[in-house]
């Protein structure tokens, strides 16, 4: 018995040491960004690297005062609106694919899920043509339109809804409730964990999205935060200090969203895989 406990203790120690090492590796880029944001350009690339700046400066942040409040507001607006739209389309689609029986439902759902296998770059040109013909080029509406639907989110929420017993729907239908009432008052409140999980996924993606704004935004005043970071990149020089300061600021909203919803995030991801 003593030998078994000793082995368990050694295993636990090794496990935590491994987890600490992995955590340090994962946090290392964040440490470098935070440290570099308070350094002068010459000090950023000094070797060996110093985590604590020798002469901390705040001028990197002051260089963001002119345009980055606008860029930050644009990112907040686009990200929040697109996330809300995605939650609406994904949750309603998940309900239709999980709680309403109709001919060809599973086949159409499989086709919808298979769209996840298509690389985004493969449909860039058709999407660009559609956005341009709709007159949405160089507007935030283009970004919202392109992000309005998500096969991944629909799949995730559908899997969670499948774990909810159908007796709730049947009892409500017997009482005369319509589908919108069942969806809004019964099923939707029960899917809170997976909705928050999907909200975190969507928020993180659109907040960090650089590719879509790069293609559809040309007016400087409409730039989002990731696109605005290119202001410090010229043909002759890259100003890494202000870029690191902007990157550090851009991390904060995502971190806050995750810390607020982390409890539901774990519940949503684990419960979504209960039933296929």
């Amino acid at each position: 018995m003593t030998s078994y406990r000793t082995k368990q203790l050694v295993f636990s120690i090794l496990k935590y040491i491994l987890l600490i090492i992995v955590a340090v590796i994962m946090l290392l880029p964040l440490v470098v960004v935070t440290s570099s944001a308070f350094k002068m350009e010459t000090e950023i690339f000094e070797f060996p690297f110093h985590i604590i700046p020798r002469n901390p400066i705040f001028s990197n942040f002051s260089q963001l005062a002119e345009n980055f409040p606008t860029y930050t507001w644009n990112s907040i607006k686009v990200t929040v609106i697109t996330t809300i739209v995605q939650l609406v389309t994904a949750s309603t689609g998940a309900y239709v694919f999980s709680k309403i029986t109709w001919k060809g439902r599973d086949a159409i759902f499989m086709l919808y899920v298979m769209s996840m296998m298509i690389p985004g770059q493969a449909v860039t040109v058709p999407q660009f043509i559609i956005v341009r013909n709709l007159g949405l080029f160089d507007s935030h509406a283009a970004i919202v339109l392109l992000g309005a639907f998500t096969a991944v989110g629909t799949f995730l929420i559908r899997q969670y809804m499948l774990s909810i017993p159908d007796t709730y729907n049947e009892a409500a239908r017997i009482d005369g409730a319509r589908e919108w009432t069942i969806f809004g008052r019964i099923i939707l409140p029960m899917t809170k964990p997976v909705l928050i999980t999907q909200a975190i996924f969507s928020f993180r993606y659109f907040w960090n999205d650089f590719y879509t704004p790069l293609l559809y935004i040309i007016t400087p005043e409409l730039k989002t935060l990731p696109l605005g970071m290119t202001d410090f990149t010229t043909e002759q020089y890259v100003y890494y200090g202000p870029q690191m300061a902007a990157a550090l600021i851009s991390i904060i909203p995502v971190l806050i969203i995750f810390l607020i919803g982390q409890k539901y995030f774990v519940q949503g991801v684990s419960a979504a895989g209960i039933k296929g």
Side-chain angles (χ1 to χ4, degrees):
M1 183 65 68
T2 303
S3 177
Y4 175 77
R5 290 181 178 177
T6 303
K7 290 181 179 179
Q8 288 293 102
L9 179 60
V10 172
F11 177 77
S12 297
I13 294 175
L14 293 176
K15 179 177 67 175
Y16 284 112
I17 291 176
L18 178 62
L19 290 174
I20 291 173
I21 294 174
V22 173
V24 170
I25 295 174
M26 296 294 292
L27 291 174
L28 186 58
L30 179 60
V31 173
V32 173
V33 169
T34 304
S35 176
S36 301
F38 297 94
K39 290 181 178 180
M40 294 185 295
E41 295 289 324
T42 55
E43 189 179 355
I44 292 176
F45 295 99
E46 283 186 354
F47 184 84
F49 183 83
H50 299 280
I51 295 179
I52 301 177
R54 295 175 180 174
N55 299 303
I57 61 173
F58 295 90
S59 58
N60 291 330
F61 293 91
S62 63
Q63 296 184 47
L64 309 179
E66 183 177 356
N67 295 321
F68 274 75
T70 301
Y71 298 159
T72 303
W73 166 246
N74 290 338
S75 284
I76 292 174
K77 180 176 67 173
V78 170
T79 303
V80 170
I81 293 176
T82 311
T83 299
I84 293 174
V85 172
Q86 267 203 1
L87 288 177
V88 172
T89 59
S91 60
T92 52
Y95 179 79
V96 171
F97 284 126
S98 63
K99 296 302 179 183
I100 300 179
T101 303
W102 45 281
K103 187 176 181 179
R105 182 190 71 175
D106 294 339
I108 294 177
F109 176 72
M110 287 303 299
L111 290 175
Y112 190 47
V113 172
M114 286 172 62
S115 67
M116 294 189 297
M117 309 302 174
I118 303 175
Q121 294 79 3
V123 295
T124 296
V125 174
Q127 287 179 343
F128 186 89
I129 294 173
I130 292 172
V131 169
R132 184 191 59 186
N133 291 342
L134 290 175
L136 299 178
F137 181 73
D138 195 27
S139 69
H140 291 155
I143 303 176
V144 175
L145 176 64
L146 294 174
F149 299 92
T150 166
V152 177
T154 304
F155 173 80
L156 183 67
I157 299 174
R158 174 187 177 272
Q159 296 303 104
Y160 191 96
M161 287 185 177
L162 287 175
S163 67
I164 301 175
D166 292 335
T167 52
Y168 292 102
N169 306 56
E170 296 168 358
R173 291 190 182 102
I174 292 174
D175 291 338
R178 297 183 177 182
E179 294 298 336
W180 280 109
T181 303
I182 299 173
F183 169 71
R185 296 189 177 183
I186 300 176
I187 302 300
L188 201 60
M190 298 175 69
T191 58
K192 182 179 179 181
V194 75
L195 289 178
I196 294 178
T197 300
Q198 179 57 34
I200 293 174
F201 283 149
S202 298
F203 188 94
R204 180 196 58 82
Y205 177 83
F206 291 108
W207 181 264
N208 296 322
D209 187 20
F210 174 79
Y211 183 70
T212 306
L214 178 65
L215 291 179
Y216 297 98
I217 300 298
I218 57 176
T219 302
E221 291 76 15
L222 296 178
K223 286 183 178 181
T224 56
L225 194 55
L227 191 59
M229 292 183 188
T230 60
D231 288 358
F232 300 106
T233 302
T234 65
E235 294 182 0
Q236 293 79 23
Y237 193 75
V238 178
Y239 299 90
Y240 290 100
Q243 277 192 343
M244 294 299 102
L248 181 60
I249 293 175
S250 69
I251 293 172
I252 296 175
V254 179
L255 184 61
I256 293 174
I257 293 296
F258 179 77
L259 291 177
I260 293 175
Q262 62 176 334
K263 179 179 69 175
Y264 298 102
F265 178 82
V266 175
Q267 294 178 4
V269 172
S270 59
I274 289 179
K275 189 174 182 179

